[in-house]
Structures are given as C-alpha cells and as structure tokens.
Amino acid sequence: MRHLYADFIGSVTKPMRYLGGEYMSVVKDPAQVSARVCLAFPDVYDIGMSHLGTKILYSLLNKCDDIWAERAFCPWLDMEAELRQRGLPLVSLEGQLPLAEFDVLGFSLQYELTFTNLLTMLDLGGLPVRTRDRAADAPLVLVGGSVASHPEPVADFIDAAFIGEAEELLPELVRAWAAARRDIRAGLVTRQDVLIDLAARFPLYVPALYQTATDPDTGMIVVDAPIDARVPARVRRAVIANLDDYPFPSDTPVPYAEAVFERASVEIARGCTEGCRFCQAGMIYRPVRERSSASIADTLIGGVDKAGYDETGLTCLSTADFSSITPLVKSLAAELRRRGVSMSVASLRAYGLNDDLLDELATTRISGLTFAPEAGTQRMRDVVNKNITEAHVEDSATRVFSRGWHRLKLYFMIGLPTEQDDDVLGIVATGQRMLDLGRRIIGNRAEVTVSVSSHVPKPHTPFQWAGQNHTDEIFRKQRLLKGALRDRALRLKVHHRGISFIEGVLARGDRRLGAVIEAAWRAGARFDGWDELFDDSRWLQAL
C-alpha cells in the first residue's frame, strides 16, 4: 500500500508521520500470525509515539508469535484531505493494511476531545462510524485508557471498552475474537453471540448488551440490566498485581518524525497516595504499585543503549512518593552521566523532597523543575485535599533555586468547587512570591511560569457531581489573573476555556452525545484539543 502515497507524500506536513519503517518497529509475515491488531492512537504521530500505554501494548502483543500488533495515528488535516481526494484508505505503518481489514482496532482514549479523531480514523480506515452500520465480521473496535472508564458518549461507535489494565488479558482477548471472527464468517455464530461470550470472560463493557433507561431525577440516559444473564451487571476492572510481571519495554520503535517527548521514559509505578479530589487518574489507577528498581534500571539503560536517546525520564502520578526514589535516582544518574544522558523526573510534589534527591537531579542537564500547588490559597488546597502548605511550596522553591536551577513551573486550577476571587488572585500572588524568592537567591536569572487550567469535574472523582464554571465565568477569572500581574517576568499561561467546557460535557454526558459528536465531526471538528483548531461554534451548533 505504501506506494499509493508516493506521488503526494512529499507535499504534506511531516511526511515521516506516515511512512513507518522506524528502527525497532516490528514486521511479521501475515501468513504466520492468526490475529492482527492495529493500535490506533486518535491523535497525530508526534503525540502518539510518546504515549507509554501504546509502547507497553505494542511490545507485549508483538512478543506473542501468533499476534502482529501494528500502529496507526490520526492523519493531520492536509493528509486527511489528500486521502479523501484520492479515495485512499488510512493504513497501518507496519503492514500498510487498511484499518477495516484488521481483526482488532484498539483505540487508546486519553482525552475526550479526541472523540472526533476516532471517527476520522474509522471513516478513513474504511469502516462506518456507527456500529449498527458495520458488517457482522467487521473488526472489533475496542477502546481503552482513562476515558474508557466513562465511554457512554462514544457507545454508538465502539464495540467494547476494556476496563482497567490490559497487560494480562489482552493477548487472550485478541486470540478469542480472531478465532470467533472466523466462525462468524463461516456462519457458525452471530456477532452478538461472540460479544456476549467475550463480555462474560473479560473485563469488557459492551454497550449493545445493556438495556437503557431514563433517570427520573436527572433525565439522563443510564445503563440498566444486561440483555443476557451471562453478561455481568457490573464490569470488574482488570488490575495488574505485580508490575514486574510485565516489565516496561525498552524495544519500542524510535520515531523518525520528532515526538513530543523524545526520550527513554519508564513508568515506575501506578496509582497515587495523595487522593486529590479532582484527579481521575488517582482514583481509577488504585492501588499504588511499584516496579522494582532493578526492572526500572534495566529498561531505562536498555532504552538508551538500544535507541540512542540522550534524554531519559521517570514518570508516574507522584514520582516523589516512589518508596526508593532517592537511591534509584542516585544509581541511575551515575550510570547516565557516564553516557552523557540527562534524566528528568515528572510529577514531583511540592513537599518532602529530600536534599539528596535534589542534589542528584541537579547533576543532570534539566534546567528547571515543575510542581503543582493546584490552588492559590490554603483554604482552596484543603478543599481539594492537596496535602501541601505555602511553607512546603516556598521550601521546595528555595531548595530548587539554591541548587542553581533558574526555572520553576507551577500548575494551578481555577473553577474549583467553593472557589472565591481571593483564591484566584492567590495564584498570581503565590507565583510572585516564588519569583521574588528566586531573585533573592540567584538574581534576575530566576524564571517562574504559572500555568492555569480550568477544572473539569471528571467521573469517578469526589468532585464528579460538582458544577462546572461556565465559559463566561472562566473568562472573568482569567481576566482577574491577567489583571493581577505586575511583574513582566512572571509568566502566565491559561487553558482555552471553550475546550474545557466541551471536555466537561463529553466527560459527564450520556450516550445521546453520540449524535452531537458525529454532527460536530461532520461539520469539520478535528484535533479539538489543539487551541488553534478548536472552534466552539461547531460544538454549540451540534448541541
């Protein structure tokens, strides 16, 4: 199939997004496998190639001799236009197979604003976007990731949502579907029969297998009893008890086109001890589990040696809570320094960072650190259960600047429950205090960036029933922030208020939103998480 793109691939943005053939990508003989899976990431290559979940599943599935896992990403606007103009399908990077010909299409949904990209990939891949319009032997359209924990808005477009962590069960699910698909083609079973069987055996939510009802209090369409006794009334979440049973891979493809995070990254733990009331990930990835230091070191050093990265990263929801973070960083930093490789540590909290850890991080080439106070006043931090004080933030900033770092980034939110204007203004005040502190320690080289997002109440969190600020109120609060700035050296970044509003609608809505998503998509909605492409008029018209 690759030759079909040859006459125009040079005219689109970043052609390398669509060519495949990267170092450590996996190509198998189709005749030697019994199941083909496309890991379809509903965003551009640059972002998808940095997604840790895709790396995990690509390596895991391809270690099975009978399964071939390939990749596809949502084409950018110019590539989509070229494919439509020529009537060409979206194909996988490895085997150049149209998406409609795979056994399983697995979409990782990390963000609600990628729903329209999912429809783009289905349509360009040769599938009707709605399940009701597909052939009986069509691929299994399976979604996973954090947004799969509330999949009702995309119920019309998917066959099933995998609930929880896929490492242990996904290979067997793929095999079971591929075998059943052959039986469907032979007329031995129906598609519904197979979905019922899979729902009984695996942690799958299959929307078509449940009745719905209207909640008399809210008017919402809610999921009711299953249509078959074999289908569980509640889907049990899959959880990996021991992460070392599934070591993080060091053998994933090295991107040709520049990726957002071009480094050897390792997920060192899952879950979080903090319990912030707004954080969905902290709820749905419980309990806390850690990889062993030996496993982490093997993956990180292996990734550097195999792929030639000059930057590495340790990541989890709260890296500083990893029980042996300081000895781990010490041992890795020494090994990486010998190779001339830097190391970053994500998701540091603004308290409890010991001097040894900061001293080791100071020997790497990173120029600054990031903390998330989340709110500008102590009252507001207590409301959200953010277990830090102003003294914690100041102490961490002092120790960061005193070790020579000159950049500090602070993450906050506005629109939280019970928030008052004083809480909003406290965000700028906190940032200014940290900048003044940095100047006292290292002079005018000190830089502080205050990044402010808008709170979106997410399902499965303690704040899931909280009202979301309307866009007009968010705009007013953003103006408050900008008006409070007095120091041009204090940098303020705010999130697009319209994007946050639509994210909230899609996060908490019912399956009637399928019609809205499709209408917005047909009106041209693409890559709605990108500020420069988001157009709220499309969504308001669709609603």
Side-chain angles (χ1 to χ4, degrees), residues 123-259:
D123 187 48
L124 288 175
L127 281 173
V129 296
R130 289 182 174 265
T131 55
R132 69 186 182 206
D133 299 324
R134 296 177 196 152
D137 65 343
L140 181 74
V141 177
L142 180 69
V143 297
S146 55
V147 177
S149 67
H150 50 282
E152 280 296 278
V154 290
D156 291 337
F157 315 122
I158 67 171
D159 290 303
F162 191 103
I163 307 301
E165 299 164 350
E167 289 98 325
E168 182 177 5
L169 298 174
L170 184 59
E172 190 54 38
L173 170 60
V174 166
R175 293 185 181 103
W177 168 259
R181 191 183 185 205
R182 292 188 284 272
D183 289 342
I184 292 173
R185 286 173 169 166
L188 301 177
V189 292
T190 67
R191 189 179 184 91
Q192 180 169 292
D193 290 336
V194 175
L195 291 174
I196 289 173
D197 177 64
L198 295 181
R201 296 165 54 193
F202 296 97
L204 296 181
Y205 168 60
V206 181
L209 300 184
Y210 293 84
Q211 303 173 55
T212 60
T214 301
D215 185 283
D217 297 322
T218 65
M220 296 281 285
I221 303 291
V222 295
V223 178
D224 207 351
I227 64 172
D228 188 283
R230 291 169 291 173
V231 178
R234 291 194 177 192
V235 181
R236 286 193 172 273
R237 178 174 62 108
V239 179
I240 303 302
N242 183 2
L243 295 183
D244 278 352
D245 289 342
Y246 301 93
F248 196 87
S250 60
D251 58 353
T252 53
V254 180
Y256 279 149
E258 183 178 3

Side-chain angles (χ1 to χ4, degrees), residues 340-394:
V341 175
S342 68
M343 180 171 61
S344 62
V345 178
S347 304
L348 290 172
R349 48 173 163 70
Y351 70 95
L353 299 177
N354 62 59
D355 290 334
D356 285 349
L357 174 59
L358 290 171
D359 287 341
E360 287 297 333
L361 291 176
T363 66
T364 69
R365 298 202 304 266
I366 56 175
S367 58
L369 292 179
T370 300
F371 300 116
E374 305 296 359
T377 63
Q378 191 59 48
R379 185 196 73 82
M380 199 71 249
R381 286 190 287 269
D382 291 342
V383 167
V384 303
N385 202 34
K386 189 72 177 181
N387 188 29
I388 61 171
T389 65
E390 189 75 13
H392 288 138
V393 179
E394 184 171 332

Side-chain angles (χ1 to χ4, degrees), residues 48-212:
M49 284 297 288
S50 299
H51 180 238
L52 301 186
T54 299
K55 293 182 178 184
I56 290 171
L57 297 181
Y58 185 85
S59 177
L60 174 83
L61 291 171
N62 278 320
K63 284 181 169 58
C64 303
D65 293 337
D66 58 333
I67 298 173
W68 185 8
E70 305 174 50
R71 295 162 297 141
F73 302 91
C74 193
W76 192 245
L77 305 183
D78 54 356
M79 184 61 168
E80 179 186 349
E82 294 284 356
L83 294 178
R84 292 193 183 282
Q85 179 183 338
R86 290 168 168 78
L88 295 176
L90 179 64
V91 300
S92 63
L93 293 183
E94 285 79 2
Q96 290 80 56
L97 188 70
L99 270 56
E101 297 181 25
F102 279 89
D103 293 301
V104 177
L105 292 181
F107 289 89
S108 181
L109 298 181
Q110 302 300 311
Y111 184 42
E112 290 84 359
L113 269 296
T114 59
F115 287 167
T116 54
N117 293 349
L118 182 151
L119 299 194
T120 297
M121 297 184 74
L122 290 173
D123 187 48
L124 288 175
L127 281 173
V129 296
R130 289 182 174 265
T131 55
R132 69 186 182 206
D133 299 324
R134 296 177 196 152
D137 65 343
L140 181 74
V141 177
L142 180 69
V143 297
S146 55
V147 177
S149 67
H150 50 282
E152 280 296 278
V154 290
D156 291 337
F157 315 122
I158 67 171
D159 290 303
F162 191 103
I163 307 301
E165 299 164 350
E167 289 98 325
E168 182 177 5
L169 298 174
L170 184 59
E172 190 54 38
L173 170 60
V174 166
R175 293 185 181 103
W177 168 259
R181 191 183 185 205
R182 292 188 284 272
D183 289 342
I184 292 173
R185 286 173 169 166
L188 301 177
V189 292
T190 67
R191 189 179 184 91
Q192 180 169 292
D193 290 336
V194 175
L195 291 174
I196 289 173
D197 177 64
L198 295 181
R201 296 165 54 193
F202 296 97
L204 296 181
Y205 168 60
V206 181
L209 300 184
Y210 293 84
Q211 303 173 55
T212 60

